[in-house]
Every structure is written in structure tokens, then in C-alpha cells.
Amino acid sequence: MATVARLPHTLSIGGRTYVMILPDEYESANPASTVGTVLGITKVTGALPAGTEHLTLKAGLNAGLIFHIAISYKIGTVRKRSKLVCGRDNIAGGLALAGSTFRGQPITSSVIPEHLTFS
């Protein structure tokens, strides 16, 4: 299985901009239907924007700044699942990801998992 590069991404939560190191899967060839656009996550190209704060996954989950969104998509007849990060300001968008593209495939459903993992 190929490894996905982990790159800096920015997301805005409560008027503050944070930088997180996330897998490079939040953007696709069609920016209008990419999950990053819906979730408000943008890949950093070049220098980090001024005034951004670094946020780790564990710290963001524990502080209630970010949540996991579980998505489902199909490759052929096989159903696949993945877990994405969503800022608390974009939860409604995260739950409306159906029809957006992830790994080149349309997303069929998205939910907030009932069993929350704080890792």
C-alpha cells in the first residue's frame, strides 16, 4: 500500500487560524467538490501564513476544536471507509459531504462516529 504524504494544512476555527500536519488527501483535481473545500481545510504552499498556531490532532480533539468525520465511498462494488478531520465550525459541512470527491471517488455518506477516539 502506498504511503500518503503528510503536509501542513490550515483551518480556521472560531476566528483563529491553525496549522495541522494532515495526510495530503483533502484536495483533488476538481476543487469545487473536494473535501478540503467543504471542511475549510487548505494545503499550505510555500511559507506558513502569519499569525497561525500549530495544533496537533490529540490537542485539537481534547480541546473540542476538531472532530472526526467518518465517510463512506465505493471503489467498484467494494465499500471503503475513512476518517477525516473537521473543525467545529464546519461540522454541518462535514455531515453534508455526500457527493464530494475523496481519493477520486464520490462519497456516499458521512457521519460523526458515536465512539470517539482521542488519539
Side-chain angles (χ1 to χ4, degrees):
M1 183 170 171
T3 308
V4 177
R6 297 178 59 82
L7 301 171
H9 289 74
T10 59
L11 66 151
S12 294
I13 304 167
R16 299 171 90 174
T17 304
Y18 295 93
V19 174
M20 293 184 67
I21 306 298
L22 298 171
D24 191 21
E25 297 183 316
Y26 287 85
E27 294 184 6
S28 67
N30 182 5
S33 67
T34 186
V35 294
T37 303
V38 176
L39 299 177
I41 297 174
T42 309
K43 182 168 56 173
V44 175
T45 54
L48 292 175
T52 58
E53 300 176 43
H54 185 72
L55 182 66
T56 63
L57 180 62
K58 184 175 183 176
L61 288 169
N62 288 338
L65 294 173
I66 58 174
F67 293 90
H68 281 133
I69 299 286
I71 61 166
S72 178
Y73 60 100
K74 280 188 175 180
I75 298 178
T77 58
V78 179
R79 182 175 299 278
K80 301 282 187 173
R81 293 183 53 91
S82 281
K83 199 165 37 171
L84 300 174
V85 173
C86 176
R88 70 172 179 222
D89 296 345
N90 293 323
I91 291 176
L95 295 174
L97 281 173
S100 297
T101 304
F102 182 74
R103 294 183 181 163
Q105 306 298 323
I107 296 173
T108 55
S109 67
S110 61
V111 296
I112 295 177
E114 288 184 19
H115 174 73
L116 299 176
T117 14
F118 300 100
S119 56

